[in-house]
Amino acid sequence: DLTPRRVHLPPQLSPDLALLEFAPNTFTTWYEPYRKDDEKGKLVAVVGYGYTFRPEGGALKQVQNSDGVRRAGFNRVSVVTDWQLRMDFDAPGAPDAYQDGGPVEKECIIAGHDSGGPSLIRDTDGKWKVAGIHEALADGVTYGGRFYDVRVSRFISWLDSVMGRDTASVWYSSVRCTSFESLPGAAPRTMWTPRRLLAFFSRTASE
């Protein structure tokens, strides 16, 4: 059962972020949060369950019924704001929206139904950690398009306070959660709905 026991929201209501508390042993594999504030310029692995697109006639066309499969690519954090990590989809000959040096190998962009997925940074200990949670597309799925993630490091103090200890382990599970529709205030699984609860951070309930 992937229905959370509790849903915790940050004190700031703007970010598309929630902390979900599940029953013990609900998940078996986890990713830690990225706690540093040096995200700008870092290579990230972009993961999601959304639609895939294919080049067609100089544009990108959505492949129907292609969501629901976990896929990943890479990008570079081009802009860091207080609450967001921002990236663009560079391609040879396409506008470099953020002037960050052009595409990386296997560069990608998020699409519909990718929201809530993670962007992972490989930390100095060699582990991939959650630096961002996919939030929005700025220009649609297009060459040169931009997309935004919620910046996890901005919320470390809040995450730790909810976990109830100073050095809490807060985790992200890559398991797809289909139970959002049953949560109070949650919208159906649609593209970029601000009221959706976008993060699968979870704590193991002790009671």
Side-chain angles (χ1 to χ4, degrees):
D1 181 9
L2 291 182
T3 301
R5 289 185 171 187
R6 295 183 181 87
V7 177
H8 305 272
L9 300 177
Q12 303 93 341
L13 296 180
S14 296
D16 287 333
L17 187 68
L19 181 66
L20 308 186
E21 180 181 323
F22 292 90
N25 303 315
T26 300
F27 303 108
T28 58
T29 58
W30 310 96
Y31 292 93
E32 299 177 39
Y34 190 75
R35 295 174 171 269
K36 302 173 184 176
D37 61 359
D38 60 352
E39 303 99 332
K40 186 174 181 179
K42 297 281 188 181
L43 181 73
V44 297
V46 180
V47 184
Y49 285 85
Y51 289 103
T52 189
F53 283 68
R54 291 177 180 166
E56 186 174 302
L60 296 171
K61 183 176 181 180
Q62 178 178 300
V63 178
Q64 297 300 315
N65 301 315
S66 60
D67 64 331
V69 177
R70 186 172 61 193
R71 300 181 180 88
F74 294 92
N75 211 302
R76 181 190 292 110
V77 178
S78 304
V79 175
V80 175
T81 72
D82 188 25
W83 287 358
Q84 288 181 329
L85 305 180
R86 298 182 178 183
M87 291 163 265
D88 62 353
F89 184 38
D90 297 313
D96 185 359
Y98 286 127
Q99 299 296 309
D100 58 7
V104 300
E105 186 176 359
K106 297 182 180 179
E107 177 129 346
C108 71
I109 189 173
I110 62 173
H113 293 185
D114 278 328
S115 52
S119 288
L120 306 164
I121 289 178
R122 189 189 291 273
D123 207 345
T124 52
D125 60 5
K127 296 180 180 179
W128 288 96
K129 298 180 181 179
V130 181
I133 303 292
H134 307 329
E135 181 180 22
L137 281 165
D139 311 295
V141 180
T142 182
Y143 294 121
R146 298 164 296 165
F147 66 98
Y148 305 152
D149 280 7
V150 175
R151 185 184 183 190
V152 171
S153 66
R154 170 66 173 76
F155 298 94
I156 290 296
S157 295
W158 170 71
L159 292 169
D160 287 347
S161 70
V162 174
M163 297 292 287
R165 47 185 170 169
D166 293 336
T167 56
S169 294
V170 182
W171 312 98
Y172 179 97
S173 172
S174 58
V175 175
R176 178 179 175 181
C177 181
T178 58
S179 303
F180 282 124
E181 292 84 349
S182 65
L183 298 177
R189 185 176 168 78
T190 54
M191 185 174 178
W192 317 131
T193 306
R195 292 180 63 198
R196 286 190 54 214
L197 305 178
L198 298 182
F200 297 138
F201 286 111
S202 64
R203 62 173 292 192
T204 300
S206 58
E207 60 273 25

